[in-house]
Amino acid sequence: MTDVLPHPATGELFASPVPPGTGWPGDPATDETPVAATAAQVRRLAGTADLAELDARVSVCRACPRLVRWREDVARDKRASFATQPYWGRPVPGWGAVHPRVLVIGLAPAANGANRTGRIFTGDRSGDWLFASLHRVGLATQSTSVHAADGLELIGTRMVATVRCAPPQNKPSVVERDTCAPWISAELGLVVDTVEVVVALGSFGWDATLRSFAGLGWDVARPKPRFGHGVEAQLVGPDREITLLGCYHPSQQNTFTGRLTEPMLDDVLRRAAVLGRIVA
Ligand code: SF4
């Protein structure tokens, strides 16, 4: 039996996972949003020209059986420290500016982070690092990101995950990565006209960015530029170039070990803010 619990911000009651169109803050879907159940349906439904509709379709996708099972099991079982909260338990769409100048591309939602709160990078340690840094460099209005009704806004920035469902051990399979790829490709296609700089978090985000831009017909250097922290590469489109910036993922594996420090993260995101002409 599914429990029904109050949202930590609004107090409204929700089942876990959250049914579409029931009032969850920021839920882009309704109960009429079409659901992709296969890779072919993902490809077809990613064909919308409307970003809000794309977000809605992403948020109800069920095309990867293993990931659907995992995200919903986590949503029902819950980590003990979040046992009194409802869990989103659905794919996490892109979030932020509709006409972004800076695009941040990560790996996938965390099982007890975005898979709980419904907003990318929100509610986990990686997000704590990331949003604090985005705030320090002028790309976010608040330094914390707690839940989807906390009032936080990104400034000229949009964040997307390469794979939209939380995977076990943070490791999507190649088939799952490829099944999900049309969602990010479609999203890039809809926002790319205003983007000046892409920040890829980790090598997975880096490779996904290169693959997605190549799929859009952009030129990426050959041989493929190697990922590294602070590394810059150019993505060459039909009439302009975008800078791709590499950034170590703010995972606990990197932040606990000192591989990624706050100044290192700030340096890359500040560079993005400058290239995006959001700060001087
Ligand atoms: S990972 Fe992507 S394609 Fe697979 S179920 Fe989630 S949203 Fe759909």
Side-chain angles (χ1 to χ4, degrees):
M1 168 132 174
T2 304
D3 53 2
V4 175
L5 293 166
H7 187 279
T10 68
E12 281 189 72
L13 298 175
F14 293 99
S16 305
V18 175
T22 51
W24 184 273
D27 185 349
T30 70
D31 58 3
E32 294 185 351
T33 301
V35 177
T38 65
Q41 289 172 0
V42 171
R43 289 193 294 275
R44 182 170 63 79
L45 292 177
T48 176
D50 183 301
L51 187 59
E53 177 63 18
L54 183 75
D55 289 344
R57 293 178 180 187
V58 167
S59 79
V60 296
C61 179
R62 305 184 65 82
C64 302
R66 186 183 77 117
L67 299 189
V68 171
R69 198 163 53 245
W70 172 255
R71 77 190 191 207
E72 295 187 353
D73 282 351
V74 171
R76 276 185 286 266
D77 297 344
K78 309 182 199 315
R79 178 179 281 174
S81 52
F82 302 122
T84 59
Q85 296 183 18
Y87 269 54
W88 173 251
R90 287 168 37 199
V92 178
W95 174 67
V98 175
H99 303 292
R101 302 168 84 91
V102 176
L103 192 64
V104 179
I105 298 184
L107 166 56
N112 294 284
N115 188 56
R116 172 173 56 91
T117 63
R119 193 172 71 189
I120 188 166
F121 273 114
T122 295
D124 62 66
R125 292 284 170 80
S126 299
D128 291 346
W129 267 66
L130 191 57
F131 286 108
S133 181
L134 289 166
H135 180 62
R136 285 193 295 270
V137 305
L139 294 178
T141 58
Q142 297 174 187
S143 60
T144 59
S145 180
V146 183
H147 49 66
D150 60 8
L152 172 65
E153 292 181 23
L154 297 178
I155 301 167
T157 301
R158 189 172 180 86
M159 304 174 79
V160 302
T162 304
V163 171
R164 305 303 174 97
C165 291
Q169 281 85 48
N170 279 329
K171 287 196 179 112
S173 70
V174 171
V175 170
E176 289 159 352
R177 180 201 72 186
D178 291 347
T179 300
C180 204
W183 292 131
I184 190 169
S185 292
E187 188 160 350
L188 290 184
L190 291 177
V191 302
V192 74
D193 284 353
T194 57
V195 173
E196 302 280 355
V197 55
V198 177
V199 179
L201 299 176
S203 58
F204 197 96
W206 179 268
D207 290 343
T209 303
L210 293 174
R211 255 194 320 274
S212 299
F213 273 89
L216 290 177
W218 287 51
D219 284 334
V220 296
R222 294 277 182 273
K224 185 179 86 173
R226 281 172 61 91
F227 170 75
H229 187 78
V231 168
E232 297 190 16
Q234 292 306 116
L235 305 167
V236 182
D239 50 15
R240 66 196 187 92
E241 296 188 6
I242 288 177
T243 302
L244 171 61
L245 276 176
C247 183
Y248 289 155
H249 195 288
S251 62
Q252 287 182 282
Q253 201 179 359
N254 286 335
T255 56
F256 274 12
T257 58
R259 185 167 189 248
L260 179 66
T261 63
E262 289 182 354
M264 287 169 68
L265 185 54
D266 289 357
D267 283 348
V268 171
L269 294 178
R270 189 173 293 110
R271 173 82 175 136
V274 170
L275 289 172
R277 290 179 286 125
I278 295 170
V279 302

